[in-house]
Amino acid sequence: MKRFLLFSAGFCLILSACNTPITYFGDKLSPTNSVDIYYSAHDVKREYKVIGHLTCPNYIHQETVMKKLSAYSKTIGADAIVILGTAAVKDSQAAVVNADALKYADK
């Protein structure tokens, strides 16, 4: 019985990681088809406007976080995102990834 409970708890944890919630605060524009990813605003060589701020829990694999941020950014109309870094969640061992959503000025 204990094994079943441990297995069930672990399975629920894995399922919850697959449904990672992204929080977003900002403007929502027409969806885009592709999103460029940068790790510094200095790397963006085009004129742009920050349209919002994204946060995604970082308790899953980095590749998955990037895919989720990219997919969500397309739905809000971003042309690019700048990964700002990670931050610890107060009173927790968890961390979040913070990013800015950008809209290019020449589009």
Side-chain angles (χ1 to χ4, degrees), residues 24-65:
Y24 178 69
F25 187 80
D27 297 333
K28 291 188 178 182
L29 308 172
S30 299
T32 55
N33 295 321
S34 66
V35 173
D36 298 325
I37 299 174
Y38 299 97
Y39 295 95
S40 171
H42 298 293
D43 294 335
V44 183
K45 302 300 181 201
R46 299 166 77 170
E47 291 292 319
Y48 65 88
K49 174 185 173 186
V50 175
I51 61 169
H53 309 285
L54 300 148
T55 302
C56 181
N58 192 27
Y59 55 83
I60 55 177
H61 194 271
Q62 177 179 333
E63 224 176 85
T64 304
V65 171

Side-chain angles (χ1 to χ4, degrees), residues 64-97:
T64 304
V65 171
M66 300 308 287
K67 286 180 183 177
K68 289 185 174 291
L69 285 171
S70 180
Y72 188 86
S73 296
K74 290 177 189 177
T75 67
I76 59 167
D79 294 319
I81 57 173
V82 176
I83 305 300
L84 303 173
T86 60
V89 177
K90 187 176 179 181
D91 299 328
S92 172
Q93 291 183 344
V96 294
V97 174

